[in-house]
């Protein structure tokens, strides 16, 4: 289970690396390239949120003992399905808008004009972020139920 949560650095570094490799002109020429990048980024942020919640103790795993993790286990005795989903959606709701601001700043910095369909593209980006985060939740949830 813990090895599943360590996928997040790979997903985030791969997504960021591909963003750096592709120039802004490639994103203009191949308009759909941004969609899988946001899905992968959302999945990486979702795994990161799950890892951080398990590390802090907000989502006690079966091996967590004592202290805050024990209080959380008493508060959520049945290991509810919705708690990890709230964590991944909260993580992407925090990181997604910041990433969009970074993209806007990067486009302005490089001198690429903001596209006409920027608002629609941003909404699609948010949707793909959320779908990627929910995919991380689904992978975590089904791996967790298989272990128990």
């Amino acid at each position: 289970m813990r090895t599943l949560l360590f996928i997040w650095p790979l997903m985030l570094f791969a997504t960021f690396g591909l963003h750096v490799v592709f120039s802004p002109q490639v994103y203009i020429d191949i308009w759909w390239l941004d969609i899988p990048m946001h899905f992968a980024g959302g999945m990486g942020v979702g795994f990161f949120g799950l890892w951080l919640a398990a590390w802090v103790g907000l989502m006690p795993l079966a091996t967590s003992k004592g202290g805050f993790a024990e209080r959380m286990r008493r508060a959520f005795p049945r290991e509810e399905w919705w708690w990890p989903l709230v964590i991944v959606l909260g993580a992407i709701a925090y990181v997604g808008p910041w990433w969009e601001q970074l993209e806007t700043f990067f486009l302005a910095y490089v001198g690429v004009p903001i596209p006409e369909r920027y608002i629609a593209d941003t909404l699609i980006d948010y949707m793909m972020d959320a779908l990627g985060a929910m995919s991380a939740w689904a992978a975590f949830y089904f791996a967790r139920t298989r272990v128990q």
Side-chain angles (χ1 to χ4, degrees):
M1 178 55 57
R2 290 185 186 270
T3 57
L4 181 66
L5 293 180
F6 285 108
I7 293 175
W8 70 267
L10 177 67
M11 295 294 295
L12 287 180
F13 289 131
T15 304
F16 184 72
L18 289 173
H19 263 53
V20 170
V21 168
F22 294 125
S23 69
Q25 187 61 38
V26 173
Y27 282 108
I28 292 171
D29 294 340
I30 307 172
W31 63 269
W32 55 265
L33 186 61
D34 198 34
I35 294 171
M37 299 306 259
H38 275 276
F39 181 82
M43 187 176 269
V45 169
F47 278 125
F48 173 73
L50 290 170
W51 173 82
L52 187 64
W55 184 66
V56 170
L58 290 175
M59 189 182 61
L61 298 175
T63 58
S64 303
K65 292 185 171 62
F68 187 70
E70 187 61 35
R71 288 194 303 272
M72 286 300 290
R73 192 174 289 115
R74 283 194 302 265
F76 299 103
R78 293 182 321 188
E79 305 280 336
E80 299 286 348
W81 63 269
W82 55 267
W83 185 243
L85 183 61
V86 168
I87 290 170
V88 297
L89 291 178
I92 201 61
Y94 180 75
V95 174
W98 284 107
W99 185 261
E100 285 300 317
Q101 290 299 317
L102 182 68
E103 279 185 354
T104 305
F105 173 75
F106 182 68
L107 287 175
Y109 179 75
V110 184
V112 175
I114 302 295
E116 292 178 14
R117 56 180 187 82
Y118 185 72
I119 292 175
D121 179 61
T122 301
L123 292 175
I124 291 171
D125 291 347
Y126 287 151
M127 184 178 67
M128 293 312 293
D129 289 341
L131 286 174
M134 288 189 289
S135 297
W137 167 78
F140 174 79
Y141 180 75
F142 290 118
R144 190 174 194 179
T145 55
R146 180 177 286 180
V147 168
Q148 291 178 347

